Amino acid sequence: MKYHPISNKLFIKNRAKFVAQMKPKAIAVFNSNDIFTTGADSTMPFEQHSDIFYLSGVDQEESILLLFPDAMDKAHREVLFVRETNDHIAIWEGAKLTKEQATQTSGVETVYWLSDFDKVFFDLMTEAETIYFNTNEHYRQAVELESREVRFIKTVKDKFPAHSWAKSFPILQNIRGVKEPEEIELLQTACNITENGFRRILDFVKPGVMEYEIEAEFMHEFLRNRSKGFAYTPIIGSGFNACVLHYIENNQACKDGDMLLMDVGAEYANYSSDMTRTIPVNGRFTDRQRAVYNAVNRVKDEATKMLVPGTIWADYHVEVGKLMTSELLGLGLLDKADVQNEDPKWPAYKKYFMHGTSHHMGLDTHDYGELKTPMKANMVFTVEPGIYIQKESMGIRLEDDVVIQEKGEPINLMKNIPIEADEIEDLMNK
């Protein structure tokens, strides 16, 4: 991997948190992601399943983690199964983890080759009463492919019909939402790499440059800083394209006088950053652009202050809506009648700010984390208000990643990434 090794102490702590919430005499199993084909003999680059990485640090295909805290044999309370390697595989595909390296990476002492899984698993299931299935119940999930986890669940239900089963997701949602110090450090590294990319493009953007050329500049900077690339498909939209929330074609020319919205983030060690900045293509804001830009920035700053322990996610978004309504009134985009006559289910401000303000950040860009219970210290959230004015072909969004603190305002992991309008202009015209 491109990233520096991570201490296995992180993964040992993560497993301990998961095991502490398991039922008695229960087994939990976590599978790596599949390698997906693109046709013929080609495949997509492998992306590890965030759950097995969170619990083991193993970043390799065809790996399985098994947790059984009540196993009679202490050696089987944590078991890692990895693909057996040999000289042929090493020459054609590159070196794979040895058993010793798997232990060093994960802190799991008992490591078997994957070919031993069926035998060991059957033996341990004779001791177990419940198995935890790792179902995907994320509130944004829309997966159509049958995953390795789904196939495993079907097989286990067929072979072990007398066992009860439980879900890993509620436990993972609870523990993954609150980050360990090591995780925050990795997220900070990802944000720092994103900063490098943004500063690079401030010297690069000018009228006539193509959106995909800007994407290439980000990628260059990300790769040279040990990232494997974008944490998610980048959005680089100029002019009206900035009003399309998930615009990813990135194939148009940036025109003089337009605003350029860039929603990009580097990954580092599988951890995601998520930044949005909007800049004038020609390096100078018009009075109108500056007014809208500063309105978005003020909402972002005030919304950030609300992210404290005890805040309820749904209530927070209502309060951010009030802030945005005030700014839109000031900009003349709404009038008092619009607000007085608004539909409570779709407030007037939604005409210009139609998405949410914050989501959990971590291994996944939209990470696991509780949304219906009070926020806790060391949760990491984005803050990303925006104003999209289609009739003016202008979309402005600003986004930072912040860490909730026990007391006081959150720590902004992107505090060093330029955002004030004057600073943007100064850097683009130095």
Side-chain angles (χ1 to χ4, degrees):
M1 302 305 162
K2 295 181 176 71
Y3 56 86
H4 293 290
I6 303 169
S7 170
N8 63 28
K9 292 180 181 179
L10 170 61
F11 311 115
I12 292 170
K13 285 192 290 185
N14 290 345
R15 289 196 299 277
K17 288 187 290 186
F18 186 91
V19 165
Q21 296 191 38
M22 290 177 66
K23 297 178 179 180
K25 294 187 177 181
I27 284 178
V29 176
F30 302 89
N31 287 276
S32 292
N33 276 334
D34 284 313
I35 297 177
F36 296 103
T37 181
T38 61
D41 63 346
S42 299
T43 62
M44 298 179 68
F46 175 68
E47 293 285 342
Q48 183 58 292
H49 195 299
S50 56
D51 292 332
I52 190 172
F53 185 85
Y54 175 80
L55 295 167
S56 73
V58 171
D59 203 353
Q60 182 174 293
E61 72 280 6
E62 297 185 280
S63 302
I64 300 175
L65 174 67
L66 185 152
L67 302 177
F68 187 13
D70 294 330
M72 295 178 184
D73 184 346
K74 291 182 179 180
H76 286 157
R77 293 177 181 176
E78 294 185 336
V79 187
L80 193 60
F81 299 84
V82 296
R83 179 183 177 187
E84 185 171 3
T85 190
N86 54 46
D87 292 341
H88 178 80
I89 291 173
I91 290 295
W92 283 88
E93 300 181 26
K96 303 295 179 182
L97 291 172
T98 65
K99 291 182 179 180
E100 292 75 20
Q101 289 170 332
T103 293
Q104 184 178 10
T105 297
S106 65
V108 175
E109 295 295 335
T110 303
V111 180
Y112 291 112
W113 296 130
L114 186 62
S115 56
D116 294 322
F117 177 79
D118 288 342
K119 178 183 177 182
V120 174
F121 181 63
F122 180 86
D123 179 56
L124 295 179
M125 284 291 276
T126 64
E127 302 176 21
E129 296 177 356
T130 301
I131 179 165
Y132 279 83
F133 291 137
N134 193 27
T135 52
N136 182 358
E137 298 179 32
H138 191 277
Y139 71 107
R140 289 176 179 248
Q141 78 85 22
V143 179
E144 295 183 4
L145 292 174
E146 185 175 73
S147 68
R148 199 177 191 90
E149 292 283 20
V150 170
R151 296 196 303 275
F152 174 75
I153 291 169
K154 287 182 177 180
T155 298
V156 172
K157 285 184 174 181
D158 181 57
K159 290 185 176 180
F160 302 95
H163 283 70
S164 63
W165 58 275
K167 300 184 296 183
S168 297
F169 181 80
I171 300 177
L172 288 166
Q173 176 153 277
N174 177 263
I175 64 176
R176 278 184 54 177
V178 179
K179 303 299 187 284
E180 293 291 336
E182 297 96 326
E183 294 182 282
I184 293 173
E185 185 176 343
L186 292 167
L187 288 166
Q188 182 67 76
T189 299
C191 291
N192 292 346
I193 296 171
T194 301
E195 176 190 351
N196 292 340
F198 182 61
R199 290 184 181 276
R200 180 186 181 97
I201 66 94
L202 288 176
D203 290 331
F204 178 78
V205 171
K206 60 183 181 297
V209 72
M210 301 299 290
E211 293 165 349
Y212 56 74
E213 292 181 278
I214 298 167
E215 181 178 350
E217 293 296 309
F218 273 111
M219 178 61 91
H220 179 102
E221 199 64 28
F222 290 178
L223 288 175
R224 70 191 293 266
N225 282 280
R226 291 183 175 269
S227 166
K228 62 186 174 188
F230 293 99
Y232 51 93
T233 304
I235 299 168
I236 301 175
S238 57
F240 184 83
N241 295 336
C243 296
V244 181
L245 298 183
H246 292 136
Y247 170 79
I248 58 173
E249 284 78 7
N250 305 343
N251 61 4
Q252 299 298 306
C254 300
K255 298 177 182 178
D256 190 12
D258 279 349
M259 294 292 284
L260 170 68
L261 186 153
M262 296 164 289
D263 189 336
V264 302
E267 74 79 48
Y268 179 76
N270 293 309
Y271 281 82
S272 299
S273 64
D274 191 355
M275 175 201 77
T276 307
R277 292 293 187 269
T278 310
I279 64 174
V281 170
N282 62 15
R284 298 289 181 189
F285 292 90
T286 65
D287 290 345
R288 176 63 167 173
Q289 289 169 347
R290 181 181 284 265
V292 177
Y293 185 95
N294 287 339
V296 174
N297 203 12
R298 284 193 294 269
V299 173
K300 185 188 74 68
D301 289 344
E302 292 304 311
T304 299
K305 296 174 184 177
M306 298 181 194
L307 293 176
V308 296
T311 296
I312 300 296
W313 189 70
D315 295 342
Y316 160 77
H317 280 95
V318 171
E319 294 304 311
V320 174
K322 294 176 182 178
L323 292 173
M324 183 58 77
T325 298
S326 177
E327 293 291 351
L328 292 172
L329 286 168
L331 291 168
L333 291 169
L334 295 179
D335 58 34
K336 291 183 179 179
D338 293 323
V339 179
Q340 291 171 352
N341 299 323
E342 70 183 10
D343 180 351
K345 295 181 180 179
W346 190 256
Y349 77 85
K350 288 286 189 180
K351 180 178 179 180
Y352 299 100
F353 174 38
M354 59 290 295
H355 57 79
T357 309
S358 296
H359 59 76
H360 283 278
M361 278 292 304
L363 279 167
D364 293 301
T365 304
H366 299 109
D367 205 31
Y368 290 11
E370 297 284 358
L371 293 175
K372 298 179 181 179
T373 57
M375 294 180 184
K376 300 176 183 176
N378 295 321
M379 285 183 167
V380 181
F381 282 96
T382 62
V383 187
E384 50 180 306
I387 294 176
Y388 311 91
I389 313 171
Q390 294 184 25
K391 64 183 179 183
E392 298 180 31
S393 293
M394 176 169 55
I396 295 175
R397 181 166 67 250
L398 298 172
E399 176 182 22
D400 286 333
D401 304 338
V402 304
V403 187
I404 293 179
Q405 301 298 292
E406 285 285 359
K407 295 182 179 180
E409 295 181 18
I411 290 176
N412 186 354
L413 299 176
M414 293 184 164
K415 64 182 182 295
N416 295 327
I417 302 179
I419 196 167
E420 298 301 327
D422 288 343
E423 184 179 12
I424 296 295
E425 286 190 340
D426 289 344
L427 290 169
M428 293 185 74
N429 293 280
K430 66 181 180 180

